[in-house]
Amino acid sequence: PGRVFAMRLPMVLRLWAAACLSAACADAVVQTVPWYEQLSMFHFPHYYTVDIDGDSIEPAIRKADAAYVAVEFYAPWCPHCQHFAPEYERLALTMKRYNDKGPKAKLMAATVDCVRHQRTCEQWGISGFPTMLWGKRDDWLNHATSNLQEIVFAEPTAEAVAQWIANATMFRLDTAAVTREEIVSRMPAENLATASSSIANASRISAMASPAHQSPYKVDPWDIQVSTALFVHNALEMAAEREDYDLLIEFVGLLSRQYPEDLKSTHGLCRESFKALKAKLEGLNSPEEADPEQIEKTWKLCGTDWSEYGKRGWRSCKPTFPGKRGFTCGLWSLFHAVVARSTNNTAARDLNLLRSAIGTFFDCNACRQHFATLPVHERDTATKSAVQLWWWRAHNNVNERVKSFEDKYHDGDPAFPKVQWPTTSQCPRCRHSTASSFLSLQRGALAATSKAWDDAEVAAFLSRYYGTD
């Protein structure tokens, strides 16, 4: 039987869809992971599940004393796998407490990373993620795959898996006694040190990359480049219609003029690479010829080998919680940086072009629909500063929306909680007060509550932070 949430992953931005609560995972043959999938690899900590490390499942099961075993075969880049990880830990802790109650058939929850252990997953016939198999200890040890059952569930929760087990066996697991907060609360102590180190390192790198701006809050140029690479890769896959293809060419043209080159010591290499891509796209006979895999064989963004993105990953935007930050963090930085290089004459046009690109090439329907509801009034496009402030308000509005989801599902990044920015430490003069006022939609307009913000100071901060030509 197929997995309810499994589906093909035709576009890289599905890797970010988890942040918009869109459950989508790959139903694809295990294979060598390309650079754009490597960027989304993140392993949720194994607190109660048994992380099978090696090319064979049998030794781990033989070492345990469980009579029944559930094994989740997953890929770290799979959004549904990322969302399900803390739920599976809930199930594993529930099993542990069930086992601790007394003499009875014991249960075990294990995981296998099919990227690290491709051969193991192939041996067990795994072709999509996540796949969860359930069976008796002896059937696992004897590799009796015909006796194993696939756990199919409609919702990615511990309760759904426990219900499947209850329907198939005599085991009744009280998952309500283990909250998601209990699992997630273990993360900060182990991950905050890593996050703080990442922030400090990124600040040091940014200062080195731009000697003229020694502020520790300078935006990270590497994360902008990585997110741009992902966005362009996805856009090449999505631009099948002529209208969309023409929009892509126009977007690439904008980057050839206003990509934040000054943040990097590239001597114009990035913008030149976009000029070359624009010429390449204009020279193709039809949108169908714009295959990203083929284009990336002869074209490099900023002259960087594509493998470097997967090897180096995120820097300042690196998350400490699965499926968070990364791409969206870098993409917001790109948009802010591009409009920071607009002029009063081009700002309105640039805003409309970027909004169209998001509405066409951002592969999260709910996110696109919400973004499209953010109004743009004539005053928002009057000057370059007005456009910068519109993007700032839009960014904080989205932060507020995502925060509401993370609060509901308890899966925000504990090291990087969603807040209204800039913070007082980043810009002490940007607020009239220390109130953490959220930007919201009021009477059809983006507005700051309590008049807490000084727009002039915020605009100056944005230019300092994202640089200008």
Side-chain angles (χ1 to χ4, degrees), residues 12-13 35-36 39 226-235 314 327:
V12 66
L13 294 191
W35 66 270
Y36 44 86
L39 283 167
V226 178
S227 63
T228 304
L230 286 172
F231 191 79
V232 171
H233 179 94
N234 187 68
W314 303 103
F327 176 67

Side-chain angles (χ1 to χ4, degrees), residues 320-466:
T320 66
F321 194 93
K324 302 300 176 181
R325 306 188 79 233
F327 176 67
T328 50
C329 168
L331 197 60
W332 275 113
S333 295
L334 170 66
F335 297 147
H336 287 298
V338 167
V339 298
R341 287 153 184 79
S342 298
T343 66
N344 287 336
N345 292 330
T346 66
R349 180 195 66 193
D350 297 340
L351 170 61
N352 290 332
L353 175 55
L354 291 175
R355 279 170 54 86
S356 295
I358 294 171
T360 305
F361 303 126
F362 200 67
D363 191 30
C364 171
N365 289 331
C367 307
R368 288 203 308 266
Q369 291 169 3
H370 172 258
F371 189 78
T373 66
L374 304 181
V376 180
H377 298 288
E378 185 175 352
R379 64 179 178 273
D380 296 323
T381 61
T383 64
K384 166 186 168 180
S385 292
V387 169
Q388 287 181 279
L389 288 171
W390 184 91
W391 279 101
W392 163 69
R393 294 188 181 99
H395 192 166
N396 270 337
N397 182 275
V398 171
N399 273 355
E400 180 181 16
R401 178 174 183 265
V402 174
K403 182 179 185 299
S404 68
F405 286 130
E406 293 180 346
D407 289 346
K408 177 180 180 180
Y409 293 96
H410 309 289
D411 65 352
D413 191 323
F416 299 96
K418 286 288 183 291
V419 298
Q420 298 292 276
W421 71 283
T423 63
T424 53
S425 61
Q426 290 174 311
C427 183
R429 300 174 64 181
C430 284
R431 304 186 189 214
H432 292 304
S433 70
T434 57
S436 58
S437 303
F438 272 85
L439 294 171
S440 60
L441 278 171
Q442 295 181 342
R443 297 185 180 89
L446 281 171
T449 60
S450 304
K451 297 182 179 179
W453 300 92
D454 185 320
D455 284 357
E457 290 292 341
V458 172
F461 165 81
L462 294 172
S463 292
R464 290 195 305 271
Y465 192 91
Y466 294 104

Side-chain angles (χ1 to χ4, degrees), residues 64 171 215 279:
F171 301 113
S215 168

Side-chain angles (χ1 to χ4, degrees), residues 82-233:
Q82 294 168 354
H83 269 309
F84 182 61
E87 290 295 311
Y88 196 41
E89 288 294 323
R90 285 185 61 215
L91 181 71
L93 178 54
T94 301
M95 287 183 175
K96 179 181 182 301
R97 291 176 177 174
Y98 177 88
N99 295 340
D100 292 343
K101 286 184 178 179
K104 62 175 97 56
K106 293 188 176 182
L107 311 178
M108 170 181 168
T111 63
V112 177
D113 178 348
C114 289
V115 173
R116 288 190 297 168
H117 306 299
Q118 176 180 343
R119 182 182 304 175
T120 299
C121 295
E122 289 175 344
Q123 290 174 347
W124 291 91
I126 306 303
S127 60
F129 311 112
T131 294
M132 186 178 294
L133 299 181
W134 165 272
K136 295 180 180 179
R137 170 191 177 90
D138 289 344
D139 289 332
W140 284 104
L141 295 179
N142 296 325
H143 207 98
T145 56
S146 61
N147 293 338
L148 301 178
Q149 295 176 274
E150 182 173 357
I151 300 178
V152 180
F153 46 96
E155 296 291 335
T157 64
E159 284 75 15
V161 179
Q163 186 60 55
W164 184 96
I165 293 174
N167 292 340
T169 71
M170 72 288 197
F171 301 113
R172 302 294 182 266
L173 300 173
D174 183 16
T175 54
V178 180
T179 66
R180 191 179 178 102
E181 292 90 335
E182 184 174 355
I183 300 299
V184 175
S185 65
R186 294 199 53 176
M187 295 190 66
E190 300 181 16
N191 291 349
L192 280 175
T194 300
S196 299
S197 176
S198 298
I199 296 170
N201 184 53
S203 299
R204 177 183 61 80
I205 293 171
S206 295
M208 292 172 58
S210 186
H213 304 279
Q214 293 298 323
S215 168
Y217 304 112
K218 188 72 174 181
V219 67
D220 193 327
W222 172 250
D223 287 338
I224 291 180
Q225 183 176 334
V226 178
S227 63
T228 304
L230 286 172
F231 191 79
V232 171
H233 179 94

